């Protein structure tokens, strides 16, 4: 029986800054939600870690607050989505061993370089190795060391006791599923960045012995694979008590954040793209084929939807750049105590396009796409005595949008299609100003989706509906709402065309300097 309009899926979205937990109906309505922050530890050697126990504490707190005004008895299922490309070592009792290594961690870059290298190289990859990876997986391990395979290799090399004690390595989403059901398993979509699965048959993804040997991973320390639409098990009493719902509810496999955002945006039709603006950002659409652009670090990998691939890419810092303004530069902290990001909106809107000549590059923690460069760093370019802090805010908004345009260029080349009608989601899409700037910089129509900060949670809930037979994939677009639409302003086209050319030139001119300044042997990643 299909649940009624007042029944809901408890959707858990574990982001880098903390989890959002929402009660979402199968019509896509959010009945209640809450956010709880978590700690992020950035280490001087390129490390980025979080405590899995802190994740669960925050999830439990957020869940109880989200359900405080609802009848928890109307919850019909639990679904999880989470940050991708993370590694949680699990012991024989099902407990995490120390902190999780998350997607920002680059400590395994040198170990990956050894694995992908060889006598005949192109872009750092041995030609024969790259050919095998691409043929079977659709991509290859990233040189930055931020993929899950690099995390495991780093633990194996530098923390051998921890490695020996680990019974299974899990992605963050799959760790949360273990916590809820006691089942150690992974969706084949979440395992893609281990680069050890044969993805050629999208309906029968499996580990490949040759890839395991090539990558240096051991099968017995990896979880069994499940389809993203499988029902994993029933919610355990202890976890149910923490979350504030009934035990025995079905827990579905769920999917990583890139995948759930694609569903929650409503972009489930081929080449129907969404641009996510969160701590990081990405531009993603579903496609019916497996393909790879190794040079620009773009590949179509298994999606959460049956029989489909998803164009996968990621840019490291987007909304994080605004956090940097607020927290590190303390811009506009000296004003009235209203929402700092709303103040940024008003400031950015008051500065003319082009930020009075100031430019900003948003590479605060390296970059993945369309260049994979662990050494590149952010800068304000072309400052003068006339530069104001208002100019700096507008420049950050524009710099992130220019980076999105750089990515759009290669995603369109990858798909062979002009991408328009881009769905804007993520916390950054709460800013109508930033969405209008993106429309102007990209030269594309953008749709700002309703409740954009909850797109992952909505995607997890709608995928649960598909998993449990209550929805079809074709039902999903009608269950998401567009808040407003913005077309590009032709008056700014020439200006932003020029700024984009300069933006790319800044990277090319300074990448050698960034490498010299940021080599790990000198100052860490």
């Amino acid at each position: 029986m299909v649940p009624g309009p007042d029944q809901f899926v408890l959707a858990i979205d574990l982001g880098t800054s903390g989890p959002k937990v929402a009660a979402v109906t199968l019509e896509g309505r959010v009945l209640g939600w809450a956010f709880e922050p978590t700690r992020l530890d950035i280490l001087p050697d390129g490390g980025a870690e979080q405590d899995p126990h802190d994740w669960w504490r925050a999830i439990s707190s957020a869940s109880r607050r989200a359900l405080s005004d609802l009848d928890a008895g109307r919850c019909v299922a639990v679904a999880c989505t989470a940050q991708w490309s993370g590694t949680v070592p699990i012991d024989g009792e099902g407990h995490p061993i120390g902190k999780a290594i998350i997607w920002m961690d680059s400590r395994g870059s040198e170990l990956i370089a050894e694995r992908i290298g060889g006598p005949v190289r192109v872009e750092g990859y041995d030609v024969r190795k790259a050919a095998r990876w691409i043929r079977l997986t659709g991509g290859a391990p990233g040189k930055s060391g931020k993929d899950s395979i690099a995390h495991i290799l780093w633990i194996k090399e530098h923390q051998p006791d921890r490695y020996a004690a680990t019974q299974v390595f899990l992605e963050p989403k799959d760790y949360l599923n273990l916590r809820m059901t006691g089942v150690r398993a992974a969706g084949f979509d979440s395992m893609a960045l281990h680069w050890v699965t044969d993805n050629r048959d999208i309906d029968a993804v499996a580990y490949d012995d040759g890839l395991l040997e090539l990558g240096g991973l051991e099968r017995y320390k990896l979880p069994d694979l499940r389809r993203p639409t499988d029902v994993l098990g029933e919610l355990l009493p202890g976890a149910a008590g923490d979350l504030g719902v009934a035990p025995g509810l079905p827990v579905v496999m769920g999917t990583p954040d890139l995948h759930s955002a694609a569903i929650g945006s409503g972009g489930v039709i081929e080449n129907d793209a969404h641009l996510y603006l969160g701590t990081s950002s990405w531009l993603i659409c579903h496609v019916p084929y497996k393909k790879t652009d190794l040079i620009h670090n773009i590949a179509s990998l298994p999606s959460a939807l049956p029989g489909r691939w998803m164009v996968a890419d990621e840019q490291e810092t987007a909304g994080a750049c605004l956090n940097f303004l607020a927290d590190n530069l303390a811009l506009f902290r000296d004003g009235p105590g209203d929402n700092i990001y709303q103040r940024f909106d008003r400031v950015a809107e008051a500065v003319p396009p082009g930020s009075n000549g100031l430019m900003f590059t948003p590479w605060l923690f390296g970059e993945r796409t369309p260049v994979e460069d662990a050494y590149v760093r952010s800068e304000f370019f072309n400052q003068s005595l006339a530069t104001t802090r208002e100019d700096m805010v507008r420049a950050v908004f524009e710099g992130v949008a220019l980076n999105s345009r750089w990515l759009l260029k290669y995603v369109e080349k990858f798909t062979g299609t002009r991408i328009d009608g881009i769905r804007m989601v993520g916390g950054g899409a709460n800013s109508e100003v930033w969405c209008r700037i993106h429309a102007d910089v990209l030269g594309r129509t953008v749709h700002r989706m309703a409740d954009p900060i909850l797109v992952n949670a909505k995607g997890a809930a709608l995928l649960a509906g598909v998993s449990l037979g209550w929805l079809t994939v074709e039902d999903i677009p009608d269950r998401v709402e567009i808040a407003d639409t913005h077309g590009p302003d032709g008056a700014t086209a020439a200006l932003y065309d020029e700024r984009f050319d300069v933006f790319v030139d800044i990277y090319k001119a300074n990448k050698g300097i960034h490498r010299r300044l940021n080599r790990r042997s000198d100052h860490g990643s």
Side-chain angles (χ1 to χ4, degrees):
M1 179 180 294
V2 178
D6 58 348
Q7 294 177 296
F8 60 87
V9 175
L10 185 69
I12 298 167
D13 170 23
L14 175 63
T16 308
S17 57
K20 292 178 281 290
V21 181
V24 184
T25 73
L26 294 183
E27 293 297 319
R29 289 188 304 117
V30 177
L31 303 180
W33 73 280
F35 167 78
E36 182 76 16
T38 53
R39 177 184 173 91
L40 169 63
D41 294 323
I42 299 295
L43 309 178
D45 59 353
E49 298 180 343
Q50 292 188 304
D51 184 350
H53 295 294
D54 191 37
W55 289 343
W56 189 254
R57 172 204 59 79
I59 287 168
S60 300
S61 174
S63 181
R64 289 191 295 270
R65 286 191 288 114
L67 300 176
S68 60
D69 294 327
L70 301 175
D71 178 1
R74 298 190 182 278
C75 181
V76 294
V78 181
C80 182
T81 182
Q83 52 176 284
W84 197 18
S85 190
T87 301
V88 188
I90 301 295
D91 66 17
E93 300 299 317
H95 304 303
I97 306 173
K99 292 183 178 179
I101 297 176
I102 71 163
W103 59 274
M104 300 172 71
D105 193 296
S106 62
R107 287 176 290 183
S109 59
E110 293 179 1
L111 296 169
I112 280 294
E114 295 172 4
R115 284 283 162 185
I116 67 175
V120 181
R121 303 188 187 197
V122 176
E123 296 289 327
Y125 292 87
D126 178 87
V127 173
R128 291 172 301 176
K129 293 178 181 179
R132 181 175 179 82
W133 262 310
I134 291 170
R135 182 170 62 87
L136 298 184
T137 72
K143 293 176 287 185
S144 67
K146 295 181 180 181
D147 292 345
S148 307
I149 182 176
H151 303 160
I152 296 174
L153 292 175
W154 186 85
I155 292 172
K156 187 176 183 179
E157 176 73 16
H158 295 283
Q159 297 179 340
D161 291 343
R162 187 185 189 196
Y163 183 85
T166 298
Q167 185 170 93
V168 65
F169 290 100
L170 295 177
E171 281 277 338
K173 183 266 297 182
D174 299 317
Y175 161 70
L176 296 179
N177 280 346
L178 169 65
R179 186 89 186 227
M180 291 189 288
T181 67
V183 180
R184 302 173 189 185
F188 58 67
D189 53 342
S190 64
M191 287 299 293
L193 296 184
H194 292 69
W195 304 107
V196 292
T197 55
D198 184 343
N199 302 329
R200 289 175 295 176
D201 183 349
I202 196 65
D203 296 314
V205 173
Y207 290 114
D208 179 83
D209 290 340
L211 292 176
L212 287 162
E213 182 179 357
L214 195 59
L217 301 188
E218 296 170 295
R219 170 65 185 91
Y220 73 93
K221 287 187 179 287
L222 300 178
D224 291 339
L225 298 177
R226 301 284 188 93
R227 295 175 301 175
T229 51
D230 282 351
V231 177
L232 182 60
E234 294 185 349
L235 185 65
L236 295 172
D242 291 342
L243 298 174
V245 295
L249 291 172
V251 177
V252 301
M253 276 302 303
T255 194
D257 52 4
L258 273 72
H259 307 64
S260 61
I263 297 168
S265 73
V268 296
I269 300 171
E270 291 175 11
N271 298 318
D272 191 357
H274 76 274
L275 176 60
Y276 184 94
L277 289 176
T279 300
S280 59
S281 64
W282 57 75
L283 178 67
I284 282 176
C285 60
H286 290 97
V287 293
Y289 49 76
K290 184 173 75 69
K291 184 179 177 181
T292 305
D293 178 355
L294 191 61
I295 293 175
H296 299 104
N297 205 25
I298 301 173
S300 52
L301 299 177
S303 82
L305 300 180
R308 305 280 288 281
W309 284 268
M310 182 186 75
V311 176
D313 53 64
E314 185 172 25
Q315 296 188 309
E316 292 287 67
T317 44
C321 299
L322 294 183
N323 293 339
F324 185 85
L325 284 183
D327 298 335
N328 294 75
L329 300 185
L331 291 189
F332 296 96
R333 284 295 195 197
D334 54 348
D338 55 353
N339 184 294
I340 186 66
Y341 302 105
Q342 291 177 358
R343 300 196 69 212
F344 283 161
D345 275 4
R346 293 195 294 271
V347 169
E349 191 169 31
V351 175
S355 305
N356 293 311
L358 184 67
M359 294 189 67
F360 173 78
T361 60
W363 309 308
L364 285 166
F365 208 74
E367 190 52 282
R368 286 199 188 202
T369 328
V371 293
E372 187 170 23
D373 189 338
Y375 303 108
V376 67
R377 290 295 180 269
S378 175
E379 56 201 337
F380 283 101
F381 190 82
N382 202 36
Q383 296 178 80
S384 73
L385 290 175
T387 298
T388 67
R389 59 181 186 165
E390 288 81 2
D391 295 335
M392 297 175 78
V393 171
R394 173 84 187 199
V396 168
F397 275 63
E398 291 181 336
V400 171
L402 287 166
N403 210 31
S404 298
R405 176 167 169 170
W406 201 14
L407 177 57
L408 174 64
K409 173 182 176 180
Y410 290 103
V411 171
E412 289 187 332
K413 185 176 180 180
F414 186 93
T415 61
T417 302
R418 186 179 190 273
I419 293 174
D420 207 347
I422 298 170
R423 297 164 181 256
M424 303 290 290
V425 297
N430 278 318
S431 168
E432 184 182 355
V433 175
W434 211 359
C435 289
R436 281 194 273 113
I437 288 173
H438 268 83
D440 292 344
V441 171
L442 298 177
R444 299 289 188 273
T445 298
V446 302
H447 304 298
R448 190 168 69 97
M449 307 307 291
D451 300 319
I453 199 170
L454 297 176
V455 65
N456 290 346
K458 286 185 177 181
L462 294 173
L463 183 63
V466 174
S467 300
L468 292 161
W470 298 329
L471 296 175
T472 67
V473 173
E474 292 72 24
D475 292 329
I476 291 173
D478 292 335
R479 284 162 169 75
V480 298
E481 179 184 353
I482 295 174
D484 46 52
T485 296
H486 303 280
D489 181 356
T492 68
L495 169 66
Y496 283 131
D497 286 347
E498 178 189 13
R499 287 291 192 273
F500 176 68
D501 290 340
V502 172
F503 181 87
V504 177
D505 286 343
I506 289 172
Y507 171 75
K508 293 177 179 177
N510 292 291
K511 64 179 180 179
I513 294 173
H514 287 139
R515 186 176 185 88
R516 289 167 59 191
L517 289 174
N518 298 307
R519 283 183 304 223
R520 190 162 292 131
S521 58
D522 295 335
H523 299 293
S525 175

